[in-house]
Amino acid sequence: MSFSTDLVNLTQLFSKDCSELTLSFDGYIYNPLDYAWENHKFYLENYVKDSASVLFLGMNPGPFGMMQNGIPFGEVETVKTYLKCTQKIGRPEKEHPARPVLGLSCPKSEVSGKRFWGLIKSSYPVATDFAEKYCVFNYCPLGFLLPTPTSRNATPDHLPAEERKLLEALCDRYLECVIDLIKPDYLIGVGKYAEKRILSNPAAKGKVVSSIIHPSPGNPQANNHWQENTEEKLRSLNIWN
């Protein structure tokens, strides 16, 4: 089988395993690898290459990004016009009334994704050129929304300890398989949580592991010259032009 076929099959199995977990989270759980599978599959086939020497790892989907369209840091305009991932997107069985999945019609921009992909577009105007050297994944495919009127985004650490460990075991195994398949030299966490998960993974042995500041507006460090600081960090690792 080809590299892309192996990656697609691996990811589809990972999605199934995550969906079959019994989680007691009192809220809404979205799995965009399920309802937005066709768009994510297109992304894997076109923007994850075995030539990539740098792997960026985010944490989990945001409500206006990957939850909407299945693409890591999936700021909708970037997904449509830069990555051109415009495949069919369905909807989860259970949605928070305030956070329906509108796919590529979502009117709200995800700030984290706009910053992250904006950095990439500034150096790689053609997305396929970026994909020759870099690839982008999220550690956990599941998005969590609290059942409050504001539908605040939650992270996997809201789960009970034993359930979180079960989910992390699946995510760790998928990450290990992805690293073994792509064989990148550099593993870069987008934020400290992702870096921590990389460092605990056996496949990270012998790789250069580091992190960049997470671009979320909820992170005070990200709201002051995020792109310039991130470029400086990546250049210091000799992985950015």
Side-chain angles (χ1 to χ4, degrees), residues 39 69 71 74-81 83-85 104:
N39 215 33
N69 51 57
I71 308 303
E75 194 272 328
V76 65
E77 201 56 37
T78 297
V79 170
K80 289 192 293 187
T81 62
L83 298 172
K84 297 180 174 61
C85 294
L104 300 179

Side-chain angles (χ1 to χ4, degrees), residues 111-112 115 214-220 222-223:
V111 176
S112 295
R115 286 174 173 170
H214 196 286
S216 168
N219 178 5
N223 296 323

Side-chain angles (χ1 to χ4, degrees), residues 116-188:
F116 181 80
W117 287 108
L119 164 70
I120 290 165
K121 285 189 285 185
S122 68
S123 288
Y124 294 89
V126 179
T128 50
D129 291 344
F130 169 78
E132 290 300 318
K133 183 175 179 181
Y134 308 88
C135 59
V136 185
F137 286 83
N138 265 335
Y139 171 71
C140 174
L142 303 182
F144 300 88
L145 296 175
L146 295 172
T148 57
T150 57
S151 65
R152 190 163 63 86
N153 191 36
T155 50
D157 56 10
H158 280 75
L159 296 172
E162 289 306 311
E163 295 180 13
R164 187 183 72 248
K165 288 177 183 176
L166 289 173
L167 176 58
E168 286 180 342
L170 292 178
C171 297
D172 288 340
R173 177 59 183 158
Y174 177 70
L175 177 60
E176 182 179 2
C177 291
V178 164
I179 294 171
D180 287 342
L181 188 62
I182 301 173
K183 297 179 175 57
D185 299 311
Y186 298 85
L187 304 172
I188 309 298

Side-chain angles (χ1 to χ4, degrees), residues 89-119:
I89 298 169
R91 300 178 76 158
E93 290 184 10
K94 184 183 176 185
E95 291 179 317
H96 192 299
R99 291 290 178 268
V101 171
L102 303 175
L104 300 179
S105 299
C106 179
K108 190 171 177 64
S109 174
E110 185 191 59
V111 176
S112 295
K114 191 168 187 177
R115 286 174 173 170
F116 181 80
W117 287 108
L119 164 70

